[in-house]
Amino acid sequence: MKRYDIRPNLEKVTAASLILAGEKDSMSPIKESQEIASLIKSATFKVVAGEGHVFNVSSASEFKNCLHDFLKRSRS
């Protein structure tokens, strides 16, 4: 049901970017997230094991840890 394609604009992203994917996400499969990450030069890609699309709720602690680690590394 996706009606947009952001890929042509991703090469313009210069900021450090965290791309997270849920291992069992059927709405945004890992393959799509990997492609997004590969098109952003400064992207960090991580898969949240065993989770679907809304892992920031179902695995809030894991999400927080991923974000915290990313932000900590980005500040260095």
Side-chain angles (χ1 to χ4, degrees), residues 7-44:
R7 290 175 297 174
N9 295 311
L10 293 176
E11 68 182 24
K12 299 174 188 174
V13 176
T14 58
S17 303
L18 175 61
I19 310 301
L20 296 174
E23 179 183 31
K24 298 180 179 180
D25 188 342
S26 59
M27 292 181 69
S28 297
I30 290 175
K31 187 175 180 177
E32 288 180 6
S33 298
Q34 286 173 316
E35 183 176 12
I36 289 169
S38 74
L39 295 171
I40 299 174
K41 292 177 185 167
S42 57
T44 298

